[in-house]
Amino acid sequence: MISEELKAVLLDVGLEAARRAGTLLRDGRPADLAVAATKTSPIDVVTEMDIAAEKLITAVLAERRPGDGLLGEEGADTPGTTGVRWVIDPLDGTVNYLYGLPSWGVSIAAEYRGETVVGVVAAPLRGETYHAVLGGGAWLDRTRLTCRGPAPLDQALLGTGFGYVRSRREHQAEVARRIIPLVRDIRRGGSAALDLCDVAAGRMDGYYERGLNPWDLAAGELIAREAGAVTGGRPGRPASGELALAATPAVFASLQPVLEEAGAWHD
């Protein structure tokens, strides 16, 4: 069992790393920023700033927590000896960042023996930093977060996202077509971490997406849960790349079977 002292240390380290990476991304963005590489498809992009931010974060972690493991979106993957593993997305919302849109963030989570115990999401252009500690609530700076109150599905505002492979996007569009008539509306923000934080902050009633990676999900899911949201995937399963869902308890109960019937968990 993890101690409160270790949780506090991990939170402090996560906040420092997120703050420094956020400052780099905000202040160091070149005017001629271009795509440095692609991943799953030609439109799934990486910029030089994604790579620079991950290097900065890993340097902070190596200095302050040299025995910990690490999993990062841009290739960092090292085992540790302490039971702690950091799961980082140095720039969640890269396409937004590339286009100069403000909805992007730095996502850093700490796991202890496989369980996420700390989550930090910094959104520099919003001037916001979200964090959560397992059992300690979710926070936006110094304000404790609580997800929205009960609402029927037809009054729910949802967030979602779409993958970058054509076949997956086509099916996700069909799922969205089936969901839209049943809810108040759907938003597509472009950053899974910020969508999960928006659920925590009561800015949306729920969020779902297929195809997330651990670094997309880890910090934001903990923040949403600590704010009172329910998270999961298909019925009886945890949130994963197959399907991730976070919502107020009432919306979760109504939305999960709809997503299951719509096949939101497969391409």
Side-chain angles (χ1 to χ4, degrees):
M1 182 174 179
I2 187 170
S3 69
E4 295 302 314
E5 291 78 9
L6 179 54
K7 285 193 231 180
V9 169
L10 298 178
L11 175 61
D12 184 63
V13 173
L15 287 168
E16 179 190 351
R19 176 185 58 79
R20 291 177 58 179
T23 299
L24 172 69
L25 291 164
R26 183 192 64 207
D27 298 344
R29 184 185 185 277
D32 59 347
L33 181 67
V35 173
T38 60
K39 293 183 283 189
T40 60
S41 79
I43 57 174
D44 187 5
V45 300
V46 179
T47 72
E48 62 187 275
M49 296 304 291
D50 294 70
I51 298 166
E54 181 157 305
K55 287 181 178 178
L56 187 155
I57 293 168
T58 57
V60 171
L61 298 177
E63 178 183 354
R64 296 201 55 187
R65 298 284 307 173
D68 294 349
L70 178 65
L71 177 66
E73 180 176 16
E74 307 311 331
D77 188 359
T78 57
T81 59
T82 64
V84 174
R85 183 177 77 156
W86 296 90
V87 182
I88 63 174
D89 190 338
L91 176 48
D92 188 58
T94 297
V95 172
N96 287 345
Y97 185 79
L98 179 67
Y99 278 78
L101 295 170
S103 293
W104 54 268
V106 179
S107 175
I108 300 177
E111 299 174 343
Y112 182 71
R113 296 180 179 174
E115 181 178 32
T116 303
V117 294
V118 167
V120 176
V121 175
L125 294 188
R126 290 186 180 187
E128 297 177 341
T129 299
Y130 302 83
H131 73 268
V133 174
L134 183 65
W139 301 81
L140 168 53
D141 300 317
R142 296 179 181 274
T143 302
R144 187 158 188 166
L145 298 177
T146 304
C147 65
R148 293 183 67 85
L153 188 60
D154 63 3
Q155 295 178 25
L157 179 65
L158 303 182
T160 194
F162 303 102
Y164 291 107
V165 177
R166 181 174 178 175
S167 59
R168 174 167 292 176
R169 291 163 70 89
E170 288 175 343
H171 184 62
Q172 287 173 320
E174 174 59 23
V175 172
R177 185 194 68 78
R178 295 178 63 173
I179 298 295
I180 286 173
L182 306 179
V183 300
R184 188 189 296 275
D185 208 348
I186 290 182
R187 299 286 183 266
R188 197 283 197 251
S191 165
L194 292 186
D195 283 341
L196 288 161
C197 289
D198 282 341
V199 172
R203 294 170 177 165
M204 294 193 296
D205 297 282
Y207 161 77
Y208 74 91
E209 188 167 350
R210 169 167 167 76
L212 297 183
N213 293 295
W215 46 79
D216 300 313
L217 183 61
E221 185 196 13
L222 179 64
I223 292 166
R225 280 194 284 111
E226 287 292 327
V230 178
T231 67
R234 296 186 67 188
R237 301 185 188 181
S240 69
E242 184 179 49
L243 179 66
L245 170 60
T248 65
V251 169
F252 187 98
S254 299
L255 182 59
Q256 189 183 52
V258 173
L259 293 171
E260 177 73 9
E261 182 180 356
W265 46 274
H266 66 76
D267 297 335

